[in-house]
Amino acid sequence: MEYRITDQAFPLPEAIDNAIKAGFTDLAHELIRHQLKQQDIPDMLRRRLAMEEDLLERRRKQYPYSFEEAESLLENEFDGYKPGMLKDLILQGRLDWAFVDGKIHLEKKLIANAHKRCSSILEENPATDSSDLDKRDFCVDKLAKDGHMAARITVKETLRITDPGYLGKRVMANLPMVRPIPGVISSIQLISASENLVDVDAEDAPMRTLRFFDTITDDARFEAKFSYLIEADRNSCPEQIFIAEDLGKYLCEEMPHIRFTPYLKELARQIVSKCSNSWQKAEAIYSWITTNVEYSFTRSYSTIDDISTYAAANRKGDCGIQAMLFVTLCRINGIPARWQSGWYVTDECVSCHDWAEFNVSGKWFPVDCSFGGGAYRLGAEKRWKHYFASLDTLRMIANESCCKTLSGKKAIADDPVDNQRGEAETENGEMIPREAMETILETVSYDFL
């Protein structure tokens, strides 16, 4: 049965929800199949049940380690780990867990989050990439001095299907493609692409991609190299503050992740209670997120039913989870806001990254809660303040929206929120999971202008 990401906002029957929360996947499957056999259930519930059938195993795979296995992994990784610490780390909310068959299991990203969020407790000096932070500070300082900067960037992306089970199958792949944005990204050139490229999305596609189609062989790959000019400005508060009338679609709920729940509405009201205009409100939301929501590697977005509530209730999350919360809180407070994402690009590396934008006085202003929060925790006040309303030239922007269907897709996406590492599916619409493919992102050249 076909379903869409918005169906994730619909509730599940209590018995099924109980089985999922207790980690009894087989029981949940049985309950869902029994429900689907009934003829009189509402169409939206039928679609939600079909979606959960696909999500059950994905949820389970996010928590592969038993409590004992997790303790052993931590003990082997950290000299400062002592028996019993894992329970305390769980109680403090520093490590993510779930029930699997009624027993506590730890997250797939256990070690990464232990390094990121538990270093002081485990007597480890937290790792910081000073060269990477130096690049951000270079941009912040140059923008503070000159008010403007630009760079010409060339990047290369390659996607390969690595699971031999797909050999001989016809496969479609969507790889992210940079989109032009007035005053930010221009002079885009598709330098080269593998021969299996069949289409390029329009420049205004909300989640722009290159579309490929080929039969999988041992050496089949989907590949593209492109360049673009990126510019950045040091922005400040407009003299006149107002909300433009033509931005209504950026003030609405968008299920399942931009929901105006009672909890989020109360939080939004509390955060802006002392603010007198929209700029101050957006800044207060940024300040609250960067000082209250700690960066954490998270499970697959597809397994989180409401990302904004997850971020606000758990007060943790990665760049995308923080960006989604910012968008939601702004919209609740009557400030147009939207998602933006693609890659973080330096002369040395390329990685996935998400942030947001808000609109005041008819102009879009960028906000990077993740980079801002990291700066705040390191005491880098100048960088913390910069990432409210200004960015840098360390970006490739492919998505100016989220949770949209990619061109040509039949299957639901592996990451239904946005497209940064590419998506693939078979000719008959079978989704190819992330673990069955490999994506390589590379910087070919990076030149400041």
Side-chain angles (χ1 to χ4, degrees), residues 18 112 134 150 154 157 247 267 337 384:
N18 287 342
D134 288 345
T154 302
E157 57 184 344
L247 298 171
L267 176 62
W384 174 47

Side-chain angles (χ1 to χ4, degrees), residues 194-424:
S194 51
E195 293 182 356
N196 45 28
L197 176 67
V198 296
D199 199 13
V200 182
D201 280 348
E203 292 184 343
D204 61 351
M207 294 170 60
R208 194 181 188 205
T209 72
L210 302 166
R211 189 149 53 96
F212 302 80
F213 202 71
D214 206 352
T215 300
I216 300 304
T217 62
D218 286 332
D219 59 353
R221 62 185 59 216
F222 309 102
E223 191 170 270
K225 180 166 67 173
F226 54 85
S227 69
Y228 56 96
L229 174 70
I230 182 167
E231 301 175 76
D233 292 307
R234 175 63 180 170
N235 296 311
S236 58
C237 179
E239 291 185 6
Q240 292 186 324
I241 299 175
F242 60 90
I243 298 299
E245 295 181 356
D246 59 345
L247 298 171
K249 69 177 182 178
Y250 301 110
L251 290 168
C252 300
E253 293 180 285
E254 290 185 52
M255 298 300 169
H257 300 305
I258 303 176
R259 301 193 211 183
F260 300 170
T261 64
Y263 175 70
L264 290 178
K265 286 193 285 187
E266 177 62 21
L267 176 62
R269 183 199 63 77
Q270 179 179 316
I271 290 172
V272 305
S273 61
K274 298 180 180 179
C275 300
S276 59
N277 61 52
S278 297
W279 182 273
Q280 291 177 3
K281 290 177 182 179
E283 191 169 20
I285 292 167
Y286 170 81
S287 179
W288 189 89
I289 293 173
T290 55
T291 59
N292 285 276
V293 181
E294 187 175 350
Y295 190 95
S296 175
F297 300 109
T298 55
R299 65 182 190 264
S300 168
Y301 284 179
S302 66
T303 67
I304 301 175
D305 293 338
D306 177 355
I307 285 176
S308 296
T309 296
Y310 174 94
N314 294 290
R315 292 193 298 148
K316 66 178 182 180
D318 63 10
C319 55
I321 285 175
Q322 295 183 40
M324 195 77 79
L325 178 60
F326 179 85
V327 170
T328 303
L329 292 176
C330 279
R331 291 188 182 187
I332 290 172
N333 278 302
I335 305 166
R338 68 186 180 188
W339 178 274
Q340 195 170 76
S341 70
W343 301 337
Y344 174 64
V345 183
T346 73
D347 57 336
E348 297 180 306
C349 69
V350 181
S351 58
C352 302
H353 193 47
D354 310 317
W355 55 98
E357 291 185 304
F358 72 99
N359 193 292
V360 169
S361 305
K363 179 179 178 179
W364 288 103
F365 294 90
V367 170
D368 193 325
C369 294
S370 169
F371 280 11
Y376 171 80
R377 286 172 178 79
L378 290 173
E381 185 175 4
K382 185 176 181 181
R383 190 174 352 119
W384 174 47
K385 291 183 176 180
H386 173 87
Y387 282 113
F388 173 74
S390 300
L391 281 185
D392 47 49
T393 57
L394 306 170
R395 314 274 160 158
M396 187 286 289
I397 302 171
N399 309 300
E400 279 210 318
S401 189
C402 60
C403 303
K404 305 299 182 185
T405 301
L406 303 181
S407 60
K409 276 196 76 64
K410 299 176 185 176
I412 194 163
D414 181 80
D415 180 355
V417 173
D418 72 350
N419 181 43
Q420 296 166 299
R421 294 184 295 169
E423 294 282 343

Side-chain angles (χ1 to χ4, degrees), residues 130-151 344 347 382-383 386-387 391-394 446-449:
S130 59
S131 66
D132 193 56
L133 297 181
D134 288 345
K135 298 178 198 302
R136 299 179 203 176
D137 282 335
F138 171 79
C139 293
V140 171
D141 291 341
K142 184 169 179 59
L143 286 166
K145 178 184 176 183
D146 301 333
H148 181 84
M149 66 185 301
Y344 174 64
D347 57 336
K382 185 176 181 181
R383 190 174 352 119
H386 173 87
Y387 282 113
L391 281 185
D392 47 49
T393 57
L394 306 170
Y446 189 112
D447 300 303
F448 287 109
L449 303 178

Side-chain angles (χ1 to χ4, degrees), residues 1 3-12 16-17 19-21 23-26 28-29 32-33 36 46-63 98-100 256-257 259 299-306 412-417 431 433 435:
M1 169 174 290
Y3 53 84
R4 47 192 179 268
I5 188 174
T6 53
D7 295 332
Q8 200 163 4
F10 299 134
L12 290 164
I16 295 172
D17 193 44
I20 293 169
K21 289 176 178 176
F24 292 116
T25 303
D26 292 341
H29 272 300
I32 288 173
R33 289 165 188 161
L36 288 172
R46 189 175 296 278
R47 295 197 308 269
R48 179 66 179 92
L49 292 169
M51 169 181 271
E52 196 58 36
E53 274 260 90
D54 287 349
L55 289 178
L56 280 173
E57 288 303 323
R58 299 178 76 178
R59 294 184 193 276
R60 186 185 188 108
K61 288 178 180 178
Q62 300 298 308
Y63 301 93
F99 285 121
V100 175
H257 300 305
R259 301 193 211 183
R299 65 182 190 264
S300 168
Y301 284 179
S302 66
T303 67
I304 301 175
D305 293 338
D306 177 355
I412 194 163
D414 181 80
D415 180 355
V417 173
M431 185 264 286
E435 54 265 27

Side-chain angles (χ1 to χ4, degrees), residues 160-178:
R160 291 178 57 249
I161 307 299
T162 55
D163 187 334
Y166 293 97
L167 287 172
K169 293 186 177 183
R170 297 280 289 168
V171 165
M172 186 193 77
N174 293 87
L175 286 179
M177 177 60 179
V178 64

